[in-house]
Amino acid sequence: MDRVGSDHVRDAVQRPGKFPKGRVQVTDVSRPNGDNKPEIIILGAGPAGLAAAHALTGQAKVTVIERAPIAGGNSASFPIEGVICDYGSHRFHPAAEPEVLADVKALLGDDLLLRPRHGRIRLGGKWIHFPLKLTDAVMRLPKPFAASLIGDMVLKPFRKKSTGPETFSTVLYDGLGPTISDNFYFPYVRKLWGLDPDKLAVKLAERRVGSGSVGKILMKMLRLLPGLRSETAGRFFYPRKGFGQISDAMRNSAEANGATFLFNTEITAIERDGNRITGLTIRDEAGERHLTGDLILSTIPLTGLTRLIGDPPAEVVEAARAIRFRGMILLYLVLETDQFTEFDAHYFPELSIPISRMSEPKNYNASGAPKGVTVLCAELPCDPDEKWWSMSDEELGQEFTKWLGQLGLPVTVPVRRCETRRLSHAYPVYHVGDEERFDTVDQWLSDLDGLLVFGRQGLFAHDNTHHAFAMAYGAADCIDDKGNVDRAKWNSYREVFATHVVED
């Protein structure tokens, strides 16, 4: 849901110093102070860490530390049976900051495709195009559902507001009404976060729900009509070689400009002297060693970061222990057919089906290759203590096939196999009370000199990839030629980051 007054806040503080320009073209690494460039260590080579390395290599000596063997984190891509797959359904949205979008376009050139969105969602037992289209909604929505939805809009001025503390459920009921709340958002968030809507914080509604009323939803549908739509309305950018091509391009750019990447490297400790971060210890195949730098930029989960820093205050330890992330299993079903459906993504809000979304990677970049095989990727939200987590790939593949049959999408072609990827930190969980706990941890980390925290995992933000890039570019804009951080400017950027709303 749109945050009240968010446009005003954005206008007041957006891009405090403007993002630095021309990152793609930076190849001259000489500066007046020569070898005296600040030494910056970046923790994590996910989207935020890569974008920071890409932005900073012209002005600093950059070292990136990553536990995994490759860059990109959950925004990387990988092949299965010749089909390029992502970690779930990824798009690069036209809503990205202009500087961010211009950079990605320059990095990928003709390999960045502008594709029409062509998904569908199950509402009232019927398939409806997603994003919602007016004519499709009129034709396909069950009449009782549509009538109830219109009734919610008409009666909204007369509906009694919720009383008591605000939660995700009260905000949505007051804004959208019971029909779309009960039939879409509430079951969907129960599935995604494993909690009832009244246990989820208002912050999730601010981050996750882009339209706060039925009227706004209708206006979005109207803007997709021919003659009213912009060039990018109802479309998304997607790389020809998978979403991970963006990560690869940023890594290549950073390395070409002098950045060093240490993969398969674990951070074992971060040292501090009073209020100052003094260095860190890492371990790789060669053993353990100590690194120092002028500034550490952390994009790793703030809970893990807090455990790595020596002797945090008791209240910080307690708050960090209470903060949690939602896990997810990604199921990749390999089918012997050119294409399973014409749709790029399917959304399943109903609780009877455990998966929340399914994508078909070949439909994202309109690739016809390889012939005779396609892959379906299902997103199964769950935590390591749930039954799904311990199931074998074969068992999960059988469940996936069964669920598709229940949805009216029977698998009638040979199944080669199923393989999975397990993500322990897929989504931040905005439990009621978490905002105070996050503030406790965030304030302590923010007060440490020599450390700057950002990114989806670092700021506990349920954001898109372009938001992570914007955070990284904002961070780079706040660092001077000695590695010092302009905290006032950074706080202004943080106000902007707080207005980010997820693009579906």
Side-chain angles (χ1 to χ4, degrees):
M1 187 183 69
D2 294 332
R3 176 177 302 192
V4 176
S6 63
D7 289 341
H8 171 73
V9 173
R10 185 179 296 274
D11 290 342
V13 301
Q14 193 165 22
R15 296 189 294 278
K18 293 277 188 184
F19 294 139
K21 305 275 186 158
R23 295 181 186 80
V24 176
Q25 291 76 27
V26 172
T27 54
D28 181 6
V29 296
S30 63
R31 285 166 54 90
N33 59 350
D35 290 337
N36 293 325
K37 292 180 186 179
E39 296 188 4
I40 295 178
I41 300 171
I42 299 174
L43 310 185
L50 288 171
H54 171 60
L56 286 165
T57 46
Q59 66 192 67
K61 297 177 182 177
V62 174
T63 301
V64 184
I65 301 171
E66 172 56 52
R67 183 171 57 181
I70 62 171
N74 295 345
S75 293
S77 296
F78 52 92
I80 296 179
E81 302 281 350
V83 178
I84 299 174
C85 298
D86 301 328
Y87 285 87
S89 175
H90 287 286
R91 302 177 183 87
F92 200 81
H93 295 278
E97 290 278 0
E99 295 90 341
V100 171
L101 182 56
D103 243 11
V104 172
K105 286 181 175 180
L107 282 166
L108 268 66
D110 292 341
D111 275 354
L112 188 65
L113 311 174
L114 183 61
R115 300 280 296 135
R117 293 200 59 179
H118 189 43
R120 57 181 181 172
I121 187 170
R122 288 259 297 186
L123 289 175
K126 297 289 186 71
W127 289 111
I128 313 296
H129 193 276
F130 191 82
L132 297 176
K133 291 183 177 180
L134 187 60
T135 53
D136 188 74
V138 170
M139 295 287 292
R140 295 182 181 274
L141 271 178
K143 288 184 170 52
F145 184 95
S148 183
L149 200 60
I150 293 171
D152 287 347
M153 181 177 65
V154 173
L155 296 175
K156 181 179 178 180
F158 310 101
R159 192 162 55 239
K160 186 178 179 180
K161 296 290 184 182
S162 303
T163 58
E166 280 192 326
T167 66
F168 179 90
S169 61
T170 63
V171 170
L172 259 67
Y173 258 123
D174 291 345
L176 290 168
T179 302
I180 199 165
S181 296
D182 289 332
N183 290 280
F184 173 55
Y185 278 112
F186 288 177
Y188 203 60
V189 300
R190 282 189 182 97
K191 189 183 298 188
L192 285 180
W193 282 275
L195 292 171
D196 286 335
D198 59 355
K199 298 292 194 300
L200 292 165
V202 174
K203 186 175 182 180
L204 180 61
E206 296 170 341
R207 290 280 194 180
R208 194 66 183 82
V209 184
S211 298
S213 69
V214 176
K216 287 183 178 180
I217 292 174
L218 290 173
M219 287 304 298
K220 278 191 172 183
M221 289 193 282
L222 287 171
R223 286 196 290 269
L224 292 177
L225 291 174
L228 297 178
R229 63 186 302 161
S230 66
E231 179 188 1
T232 57
R235 291 174 168 83
F236 65 98
F237 290 105
Y238 191 81
R240 193 181 305 276
K241 301 174 185 176
F243 196 81
Q245 189 177 356
I246 301 175
S247 297
D248 293 341
M250 283 201 163
R251 176 195 171 180
N252 292 339
S253 171
E255 285 187 318
N257 285 281
T260 299
F261 284 80
L262 304 179
F263 293 107
N264 293 306
T265 301
E266 183 181 359
I267 305 159
T268 58
I270 297 175
E271 295 92 24
R272 69 182 177 100
D273 181 7
N275 217 38
R276 175 80 189 177
I277 297 296
T278 57
L280 70 158
T281 304
I282 61 172
R283 183 169 54 230
D284 57 20
E285 59 182 11
E288 201 166 72
R289 55 197 169 106
H290 188 259
L291 296 181
T292 59
D294 296 290
L295 178 65
I296 293 176
L297 305 183
S298 177
T299 69
I300 66 177
L302 80 164
T303 49
L305 174 65
T306 304
R307 287 193 295 270
L308 289 168
I309 299 175
D311 196 25
E315 64 272 15
V316 173
V317 173
E318 182 180 356
R321 283 176 179 165
I323 293 173
R324 72 181 186 90
F325 292 81
R326 179 68 160 161
M328 177 177 289
I329 303 176
L330 299 170
L331 287 67
Y332 298 89
L333 195 68
V334 184
L335 304 179
E336 293 186 358
T337 184
D338 287 339
Q339 185 183 55
F340 185 70
T341 76
E342 66 182 85
F343 300 96
D344 49 27
H346 291 74
Y347 296 81
F348 315 119
E350 59 263 67
L351 286 171
S352 60
I353 303 297
I355 54 177
S356 58
R357 179 169 57 181
M358 180 183 77
S359 53
E360 189 166 358
K362 285 173 71 174
N363 293 346
Y364 277 64
N365 59 0
S367 173
K371 292 291 186 181
V373 63
T374 191
V375 175
L376 304 180
C377 173
E379 300 172 25
L380 175 58
C382 66
D383 293 318
D385 59 353
E386 295 184 52
K387 66 176 183 178
W388 311 112
W389 204 269
S390 59
M391 282 188 177
S392 68
D393 287 4
E394 183 180 1
E395 290 172 322
L396 287 168
Q398 292 170 354
E399 294 288 338
F400 186 3
T401 303
K402 182 182 72 175
W403 296 329
L404 289 175
Q406 294 171 359
L407 290 161
L409 299 171
V411 178
T412 59
V413 298
V415 177
R416 285 190 185 175
R417 63 190 175 91
C418 178
E419 66 177 70
T420 64
R421 301 290 189 277
R422 285 164 168 78
L423 312 178
S424 60
H425 291 70
Y427 294 125
V429 177
Y430 294 122
H431 195 283
V432 170
D434 274 351
E435 194 155 5
E436 292 78 10
R437 288 184 278 269
F438 167 76
D439 288 344
T440 298
V441 177
D442 180 60
Q443 188 59 60
W444 181 69
L445 293 172
S446 297
D447 288 341
L448 295 175
D449 292 332
L451 176 70
L452 189 63
V453 179
F454 59 94
R456 181 177 189 169
Q457 313 283 23
L459 294 185
F460 204 59
H462 185 45
D463 280 352
N464 299 115
T465 300
H466 66 270
H467 293 136
F469 289 171
M471 291 185 201
Y473 284 11
D477 191 35
C478 295
I479 300 170
D480 68 16
D481 59 5
K482 292 182 176 59
N484 298 313
V485 177
D486 184 334
R487 295 287 175 175
K489 181 186 283 190
W490 178 242
N491 289 337
S492 294
Y493 272 118
R494 288 284 301 268
E495 291 183 55
V496 176
F497 303 157
T499 68
H500 288 168
V501 177
V502 172
E503 299 281 339
D504 284 314

